[in-house]
Amino acid sequence: MAIVMLTAVTRVERKAATSFVFDTVNRLGGWIDDVHMYSNLMNTIRMTLPAGAFGTLVNALEEGGISVGPPEGLGDVSDPAIERMATLQLTFIHDEPDLKREVPSVPG
């Protein structure tokens, strides 16, 4: 079974948008498997969600200020309760400089 791929953009503050996605996925009976944060430019969120919940997820994110493209790879949902893995690539639109993090030196 293919992984469902979602892409989204938002002007909502990064931490608030990420928390909103997490809460929405949990509310819809899914869970977050993994998150990769790329500075303050983008997050890639890997999740598992019932197949029938993707339409509701997209609508909820849109209402929360996150513009989502149509899901790719969802295909025919003959059993809406079946769990599907998905990724959400969430890009943040802002005027902030790149997020710089101090990396501690490792004793050699």
Side-chain angles (χ1 to χ4, degrees):
M1 194 169 295
I3 294 177
V4 178
M5 296 186 335
L6 301 163
T7 57
V9 296
T10 188
R11 291 188 183 278
V12 175
E13 191 273 328
R14 172 178 55 92
K15 291 178 184 175
T18 303
S19 291
F20 183 71
V21 171
F22 290 0
D23 293 343
T24 303
V25 169
N26 288 328
R27 181 174 53 83
L28 295 174
W31 60 90
I32 304 299
D33 296 315
D34 194 17
V35 179
H36 289 274
M37 299 177 186
Y38 300 96
S39 185
N40 58 351
L41 302 176
M42 179 177 70
N43 287 350
T44 300
I45 302 168
R46 194 170 44 115
M47 67 187 88
T48 303
L49 193 66
F54 281 96
T56 306
L57 173 67
V58 170
N59 291 338
L61 295 180
E62 293 276 349
E63 289 174 7
I66 300 172
S67 179
V68 185
E72 294 180 28
L74 186 57
D76 179 34
V77 182
S78 55
D79 181 1
I82 195 165
E83 294 172 346
R84 296 290 305 271
M85 290 181 64
T87 60
L88 170 65
Q89 179 182 316
L90 180 55
T91 303
F92 304 104
I93 301 171
H94 55 74
D95 294 332
E96 301 169 15
D98 284 349
L99 183 63
K100 302 241 188 237
R101 294 188 180 171
E102 190 137 342
V103 178
S105 60
V106 178

